[in-house]
Amino acid sequence: YFIGVGINHFADSTHDLKWCVQDIKDLTKTMKSKYGDRLVIVDTLYNEKATRTNIRSLKKKLLNTTVNDKVIFSYSGHGLLSKDYDYYISSYTVNFSNPEEGGIPYDEIENMLDSIPARKKILFLDACHSGEVDKEEMRKVQAAASGLTQNHITANTASRGIILTNMADSASRIGLQNSFEMMQSLFVNVGKGTGAVIIAASGGVQFAQERSELGHGVFTYSIIAALKKDPVIKVSALKTYIDNRVMELTNGLQKPTTRNEPIAVDWEL
């Protein structure tokens, strides 16, 4: 069972992205090639269709799964932090200054994968989060980005979440290193009862890149490459491939964040 959500265009067009919809379309195509008639496309939601209501409604369809089924959920878009440091993924109508308005709380996504019959579940999250970036951290980002050009990779990138703001209250700032610790805590400790494997695009002094020369977000590009490379691949091997490939493509600028799972759930995609 495959669910894909990709958002290039938002009601607030100042935060538009370019390759999120293509991420999901090409991942869907890869899934079709891999699974053939065994693939059930629950839904693919793009741009204005990616509303909180439509995403919430997907759980009803997942209740039709069986214990032996696999559920793959892939999201490409912005990730956002509220002022209280609660994590949201963007919908078409999200308020980027106040993601509680129109944003989708992360626990709602987790809840979608909880209490359904399928035991093999994976969430791909090609997003990071918004936060004010101070000058020292921005220098680190720029230094890593300069290495991309030296390696003949263009740094024509957009970020899926790092939104620069002029917040007067420095107490509300969350630095990128703190964000890495926050994301690790979120994805390591969340969802103990869902059994879902969670792989997110980035954390720390990184951000989720999308690159024109790849025609994708770097993270989703790496997922597609892994699935094409190996007809059958275990979750642990997929994690390793994605981590290494993303780090290679971004010169260490972006490192995926994963939630560790017991070996018992190291199932094959």
Side-chain angles (χ1 to χ4, degrees), residues 32-166:
K32 285 180 180 177
S33 176
K34 182 177 178 61
Y35 291 108
D37 293 338
R38 294 181 296 145
L39 180 69
V40 177
I41 299 176
V42 177
D43 213 338
T44 51
L45 301 173
Y46 303 127
N47 298 326
E48 67 274 5
K49 298 292 185 183
T51 65
R52 191 168 173 175
T53 299
N54 286 345
I55 292 172
R56 278 177 168 173
S57 70
L58 297 173
K59 176 150 188 176
K60 294 177 183 177
K61 298 179 182 179
L62 295 180
L63 292 172
N64 295 323
T65 60
T66 71
V67 292
N68 296 318
D69 290 332
K70 303 170 185 177
V71 174
I72 300 165
F73 188 138
S74 186
Y75 172 86
S76 286
H78 282 298
L80 304 161
L81 273 182
S82 71
K83 291 181 176 65
D84 294 326
Y85 304 135
D86 294 319
Y87 189 65
Y88 291 79
I89 63 172
S90 57
S91 68
Y92 175 73
T93 57
V94 68
N95 180 341
F96 285 91
S97 299
N98 187 19
E100 294 97 324
E101 297 176 14
I104 301 160
Y106 176 77
D107 58 5
E108 282 194 18
I109 299 300
E110 187 192 36
N111 179 62
M112 187 184 304
L113 299 174
D114 191 17
S115 304
I116 62 173
R119 293 178 180 174
K120 299 171 182 176
K121 300 166 282 192
I122 191 164
L123 170 64
F124 297 124
L125 194 60
D126 200 343
C128 50
H129 71 77
S130 68
E132 184 173 329
V133 183
D134 66 28
K135 291 180 180 179
E136 180 58 34
E137 288 164 330
M138 201 61 205
R139 276 194 285 268
K140 295 177 184 178
V141 170
Q142 289 168 344
S146 68
L148 298 175
T149 305
Q150 292 168 11
N151 291 332
H152 308 292
I153 300 173
T154 61
N156 182 11
T157 66
S159 167
R160 296 180 178 181
I162 293 298
I163 298 169
L164 302 178
T165 58
N166 294 315

Side-chain angles (χ1 to χ4, degrees), residues 22-33:
Q22 198 65 45
D23 277 351
I24 301 303
K25 286 184 175 180
D26 284 358
L27 185 55
T28 304
K29 190 181 300 181
T30 302
M31 292 289 176
K32 285 180 180 177
S33 176

Side-chain angles (χ1 to χ4, degrees), residues 238-266:
L238 178 68
K239 287 181 180 181
T240 299
Y241 182 93
I242 293 170
D243 189 65
N244 291 340
R245 189 68 172 131
V246 169
M247 289 282 283
E248 177 187 4
L249 286 168
T250 64
N251 200 37
L253 187 63
Q254 178 179 332
K255 181 180 179 181
T257 305
T258 63
R259 181 160 74 86
N260 295 324
E261 288 288 331
I263 194 67
V265 296
D266 190 16

